[in-house]
Amino acid sequence: MSDYKLFVGTACPHCRKVENFLEENDIKIDIVNINEDRDAMMELIQKGGKRQVPCLFHDGKYLYESNDIIDFLGK
């Protein structure tokens, strides 16, 4: 799933929830921590419109909310 990117934060329990789902279902996605990568944080703010994590980028769209991300990836 190389055309997907998941933005996460260091101390974000909702991010951990999505990351655990990915691991449990053996889903490989690029994961970027905005606390460790300032360019990624700026990309999320400028293109996604806000600094909210977790955020899944795919097909030119930004999807927020951990449950929505898990529902989307589970299909």
Side-chain angles (χ1 to χ4, degrees), residues 11-42:
C12 171
H14 302 288
C15 298
R16 296 295 85 69
K17 179 180 176 178
V18 175
E19 289 177 300
N20 288 339
F21 173 81
L22 295 175
E23 186 176 319
E24 291 167 2
N25 291 279
D26 197 32
I27 298 172
K28 307 293 186 219
I29 291 179
D30 289 332
I31 299 175
V32 182
N33 187 318
I34 65 167
N35 298 116
E36 298 171 1
D37 184 340
R38 182 164 170 72
D39 291 337
M41 179 177 62
M42 296 309 297

Side-chain angles (χ1 to χ4, degrees), residues 50-63:
K50 52 187 169 180
R51 187 188 179 275
Q52 178 182 333
V53 289
C55 177
L56 179 68
F57 173 74
H58 172 66
D59 198 24
K61 297 179 184 171
Y62 291 82
L63 178 63

